[in-house]
Amino acid sequence: MKRDDLIHPILSGNKLRKIVGFLEIFRNANKSEIITCGSLHSNFIHAFGYIASQLSLKTNIWLYGHNASDSFVTNDLEKWGIKYQVIDRKTFKLNFETYFPLEDQILYIKEGGQGVGAEKGVRQLIEELDIQFNSQNYQIVLATGTGTMLQCIQKIKPGASVVGFSPVSNNFILKESQPPAIYLQEERKLAFGGYSADLMKYIDLFYCLNSIWLDPIYTGRLVKALDLSIEKLDDNKVITILHTGGLQAWRSYLNRWPQAKNYLDYKALENFIATNFS
């Protein structure tokens, strides 16, 4: 397992990997403001808001979704002094991408960090993997949302053996990737952010065996699906799971699904959350 969750509690995994390149573009292009977007519970927005506060960047964030008051992401953005506005998804789809590119001094980052800026950090990730493993001797296993990481990996390392899992309802990114990625499926498909006692038991067992927390939205479901389909992978290659962090999502998840506490080492998880995200 590539432990990108250990880079930093908030700036972890694919979030930081994607952000660093955009920061370089922002600096070199002498822009004055960054505008980006995402859902009320987006890990990318959470990480971006944090680094923007640390670097005192002028930013504006558009968020879509419901119940902003229940979002730990917006709570943290307010705590960090980051400007944001909540809009409905229809307005987001119709207006966001057409309005802001007209502003010359603004760097616009698409949802989830899509774009050429993401490639810089992903390239560094691939270099690290190639040092650790023979470049022809591993399969990269990752969870995808917008598909940015998957697309960057396949562009930077053509012919890479990639195994993916998507918790979103439409996983066409995996099916249409070139070359085609092996895509993992769950025994029982959950809605995005959905709850399952079996998933909680699996995440808890994984923690008990490895002392590693997986998140309930992406990595938990990824590793469980991998366990169910391990025979699909190449026996001659090292299975390399990307732990993409995002563990702050436990806060919103436990708020929405309090019954999950019954199947977890909740004392250990509560301590982990308090230590890293309070």
Side-chain angles (χ1 to χ4, degrees):
M1 179 173 281
K2 175 68 170 166
R3 296 290 308 279
D4 270 11
D5 59 309
L6 296 179
I7 295 173
H8 185 276
I10 298 172
L11 299 173
S12 62
N14 58 342
K15 277 68 68 179
L16 180 61
R17 299 285 186 182
K18 290 185 284 188
I19 289 171
V20 290
F22 285 105
L23 294 179
E24 185 171 310
I25 291 172
F26 179 74
R27 181 189 63 195
N28 293 340
N30 200 28
K31 302 285 187 180
S32 61
E33 182 177 5
I34 299 177
I35 296 180
T36 189
C37 58
S39 76
L40 284 165
H41 303 282
S42 166
N43 286 322
F44 179 82
I45 292 296
H46 190 254
F48 174 77
Y50 177 80
I51 202 166
S53 71
Q54 296 297 302
L55 298 178
S56 299
L57 302 177
K58 183 182 179 183
T59 63
N60 188 8
I61 296 173
W62 282 30
L63 301 174
Y64 64 84
H66 303 286
N67 301 322
S69 60
D70 294 335
S71 169
F72 286 94
V73 171
T74 57
N75 291 344
D76 285 346
L77 291 179
E78 291 171 9
K79 180 174 68 177
W80 298 330
I82 298 299
K83 179 182 176 183
Y84 72 89
Q85 53 188 306
V86 180
I87 59 174
D88 63 85
R89 194 179 186 106
K90 184 178 180 181
T91 301
F92 167 79
K93 289 292 185 184
L94 289 176
N95 296 309
F96 192 80
E97 294 189 10
T98 58
Y99 179 75
F100 286 111
L102 300 176
E103 303 288 339
D104 187 53
Q105 291 303 306
I106 292 174
L107 174 64
Y108 164 55
I109 303 176
K110 291 184 179 182
E111 183 176 10
Q114 301 174 64
V116 294
E119 293 176 17
K120 181 178 178 62
V122 177
R123 188 176 298 278
Q124 177 64 34
L125 169 67
I126 294 299
E127 290 173 0
E128 292 169 14
L129 287 172
D130 284 347
I131 290 171
Q132 188 169 0
F133 303 103
N134 181 287
S135 61
Q136 301 300 318
N137 197 39
Y138 63 86
Q139 288 188 304
I140 302 171
V141 182
L142 76 161
T144 67
T146 61
T148 302
M149 281 287 286
L150 172 65
Q151 292 166 344
C152 286
I153 288 170
Q154 292 191 316
K155 182 176 180 179
I156 293 164
K157 193 176 178 65
S161 180
V162 179
V163 181
F165 168 79
S166 175
V168 299
S169 57
N170 190 346
N171 64 353
F172 70 92
I173 292 170
L174 291 174
K175 295 178 180 178
E176 296 179 2
S177 62
Q178 293 297 326
I182 298 171
Y183 62 95
L184 305 171
Q185 300 184 62
E186 295 172 297
E187 195 171 34
R188 182 168 64 89
K189 182 69 176 177
L190 295 176
F192 184 76
Y195 169 79
S196 161
D198 286 342
L199 176 62
M200 296 301 103
K201 291 175 183 177
Y202 184 89
I203 291 173
D204 184 67
L205 177 60
F206 191 88
Y207 173 75
C208 290
L209 292 172
N210 302 292
S211 298
I212 299 172
W213 283 114
L214 304 173
D215 83 278
I217 311 298
Y218 289 100
T219 55
R221 292 171 65 173
L222 165 71
V223 178
K224 188 172 188 292
L226 176 63
D227 239 348
L228 291 169
S229 304
I230 200 75
E231 73 281 352
K232 289 185 177 181
L233 276 63
D234 188 340
D235 289 342
N236 297 313
K237 294 184 181 293
V238 176
I239 299 169
T240 307
I241 302 169
L242 300 186
H243 194 317
T244 49
L247 294 166
Q248 68 89 22
W250 273 113
R251 300 180 297 167
S252 294
Y253 191 86
L254 292 170
N255 194 44
R256 183 181 182 188
W257 306 107
Q259 64 268 43
K261 300 173 185 178
N262 298 328
Y263 302 101
L264 299 162
D265 185 343
Y266 182 61
K267 192 172 187 109
L269 181 57
E270 187 177 41
N271 181 63
F272 175 83
I273 291 170
T275 300
N276 292 286
F277 305 111
S278 294

